[in-house]
Amino acid sequence: MKGKKIKAIILIIIITASLLFLFYNLSFQNDTRELRAVVKKVDDSEISGSGVQKFGRQIVRVEIKEGKYKGKIINASNHLIGNLGWDYRFNEGDEILVAISETENNEIRAAVALDVYRQGWILILIALFIILLILYARYIGLKALFSFIGSIFVIWKILIPGLLKGLDPLIFTSFVLLILSALILFSIAGFTKKGFASFFGTSSSLLITIALTIFFGNKLALDGMSSPYVGEMMAAGYFNLNIREIFYAAVVIGASGAAMDIAMDMATTIKELKEQRPDMEMKDLIKSGFNVGSDVIGTMTTTLLLAYAGGYLTLIMAFMTRTATLRRIFNLRIIVSEILRTLVGSIGLIIVAPITTIFAAWLYSKKFKLEKNKD
């Protein structure tokens, strides 16, 4: 038993190290134009502005810490535009990321200070996530890790490029979400009754969520322009994008993750009930599933509210400082957009539980099998 634990720990270490090494090399090592550096001296003489908003250029003298310029000390420019979300003023000793431009003779032409170097701590956080996931969930944790990495790949390499190319946001996003749902649910549950029940519930909830988003989004006259960083996309030249439908797609994406969670919970509940009580009929399975589902939904809807409230906490605080009336708040586009996001997501959760419960109860009441081994 002790030997098995040691082997399991070694396996976790190997898997974690391999994933981090692959992530680091694929993402960062091939780009020699952006290098890690340490700030040796700062010059704020060209910065102006009042209060917290500053404009101008901060000159930072940095020592390059990697690549072919390792050890070289150069000046880098840090441009401040008065946007607190983008600007960062560096101090001596900061470890930062510097963008290098070269001459034809492979010498440094200019350097721009981008931001604080955070990559090392991100890798530590990723390692902690992987270790805890595998330690607790073991084989299921490995499958969850596979679906997690696969989801990142699909979003980064398929969904985002497709949206930027101008593909229909709702149709394309729905297609991608169906692929993601299949990837996540079947990798965890396998091609079993539980897997098919959770996928059916998630897909049904997705379709209903899309319909609700379109209907109420149009009735509330939401155009998506209050979404973060829309201005930056426009400034980059993406005028052909349908911002309204991209906002609708974002609402649907936000709701789909929680719907998958509920669908898997309900399918697992029906599976466990049937295994413990093989004599239970379909109506009894549905009744027990509904009892469990009501408790799950009761907490999950609040969880969804807290998740969205946490993401827009500073926005809520800003309106509180202005002593805005409730009538004004409930008619502001940016606030109504988040109300739509929260309520549509919650409705999707409420719908997915009974749909999955009924379908799973029907599947487990039948004699056919969807896999070689008993589910």
Side-chain angles (χ1 to χ4, degrees):
M1 192 71 179
K2 196 173 182 179
K4 287 184 178 180
K5 286 185 178 179
I6 293 173
K7 287 181 181 178
I9 293 171
I10 293 173
L11 179 63
I12 291 171
I13 293 172
I14 292 173
I15 291 172
T16 304
S18 300
L19 288 172
L20 291 177
F21 179 78
L22 182 65
F23 175 73
Y24 180 77
N25 278 275
L26 290 178
S27 303
F28 305 109
Q29 284 293 78
N30 294 328
D31 195 347
T32 58
R33 296 167 299 173
E34 296 177 355
L35 302 171
R36 180 169 55 91
V38 173
V39 177
K40 296 295 182 180
K41 188 179 179 181
V42 297
D43 180 3
D44 295 337
S45 60
E46 297 182 32
I47 296 177
S48 60
S50 60
V52 294
Q53 285 190 316
K54 301 295 181 182
F55 303 88
R57 184 177 67 153
Q58 181 187 45
I59 305 298
V60 290
R61 191 155 183 81
V62 300
E63 180 183 352
I64 306 297
K65 290 295 183 180
E66 61 185 5
K68 61 183 179 180
Y69 298 114
K70 183 177 180 180
K72 192 173 183 63
I73 297 178
I74 60 172
N75 287 338
S77 299
N78 176 29
H79 298 279
L80 305 177
I81 60 175
N83 186 327
L84 298 179
W86 290 99
D87 292 346
Y88 192 95
R89 291 176 66 185
F90 302 112
N91 299 304
E92 289 184 22
D94 285 350
E95 194 172 31
I96 68 173
L97 192 65
V98 176
I100 303 291
S101 62
E102 299 177 322
T103 63
E104 294 180 356
N105 299 325
N106 291 328
E107 295 180 353
I108 297 176
R109 177 191 289 117
V112 176
L114 299 176
D115 213 323
V116 173
Y117 184 82
R118 303 179 175 94
Q119 182 182 314
W121 286 107
I122 289 176
L123 292 176
I124 291 173
L125 192 59
I126 292 172
L128 181 62
F129 164 70
I130 294 172
I131 290 170
L132 292 176
L133 179 64
I134 297 176
L135 277 176
Y136 177 74
R138 303 192 182 183
Y139 179 60
I140 297 296
L142 280 175
K143 293 196 290 185
L145 186 61
F146 164 75
S147 65
F148 185 82
I149 295 171
S151 299
I152 293 175
F153 177 83
V154 170
I155 292 170
W156 187 253
K157 293 293 186 180
I158 298 176
L159 178 62
I160 303 302
L163 292 176
L164 289 174
K165 287 179 181 177
L167 297 179
D168 187 281
L170 272 174
I171 294 176
F172 181 62
T173 300
S174 301
F175 176 72
V176 171
L177 285 176
L178 286 174
I179 294 176
L180 278 177
S181 299
L183 170 70
I184 295 167
L185 296 171
F186 289 125
S187 66
I188 299 298
F191 291 98
T192 62
K193 293 178 183 179
K194 182 171 74 173
F196 279 102
S198 55
F199 180 71
F200 178 82
T202 301
S203 303
S204 302
S205 174
L206 174 64
L207 295 175
I208 295 170
T209 301
I210 291 171
L212 288 171
T213 302
I214 294 173
F215 178 80
F216 284 101
N218 291 340
K219 291 296 182 182
L220 294 169
L222 298 177
D223 56 10
M225 295 305 294
S226 61
S227 301
Y229 307 112
V230 169
E232 281 77 2
M233 283 197 298
M234 293 296 181
Y238 290 95
F239 300 106
N240 62 318
L241 298 181
N242 189 333
I243 300 300
R244 169 183 282 183
E245 290 205 0
I246 289 176
F247 166 69
Y248 289 171
V251 173
V252 173
I253 291 171
S256 65
M260 272 188 274
D261 184 24
I262 296 294
M264 181 61 75
D265 287 345
M266 301 317 303
T268 302
T269 298
I270 299 300
K271 172 181 178 291
E272 292 297 321
L273 286 170
K274 191 64 176 177
E275 285 185 351
Q276 297 300 319
R277 289 278 308 278
D279 59 324
M280 287 187 75
E281 296 181 358
M282 179 177 169
K283 63 178 183 179
D284 297 319
L285 288 172
I286 292 174
K287 183 178 179 181
S288 297
F290 277 16
N291 289 335
V292 174
S294 61
D295 288 341
V296 173
I297 290 298
T299 55
M300 198 64 182
T301 50
T302 307
T303 301
L304 197 64
L305 171 64
L306 293 175
Y308 287 131
Y312 286 87
L313 185 61
T314 51
L315 172 64
I316 298 170
M317 292 172 65
F319 278 102
M320 289 293 288
T321 60
R322 296 179 183 180
T323 62
T325 64
L326 283 177
R327 170 170 284 188
R328 177 172 170 78
I329 289 173
F330 276 90
N331 284 279
L332 284 171
R333 180 175 55 180
I334 190 169
I335 295 294
V336 175
S337 297
E338 298 316 309
I339 292 174
L340 175 75
R341 194 191 302 268
T342 304
L343 293 181
V344 167
S346 298
I347 292 171
L349 291 183
I350 296 170
I351 290 171
V352 73
I355 291 176
T356 308
T357 299
I358 293 170
F359 188 71
W362 176 77
L363 278 180
Y364 280 97
S365 297
K366 298 298 177 182
K367 300 298 182 185
F368 60 83
K369 295 186 294 183
L370 294 174
E371 61 285 314
K372 293 180 181 178
N373 299 322
K374 265 191 175 183
D375 186 15

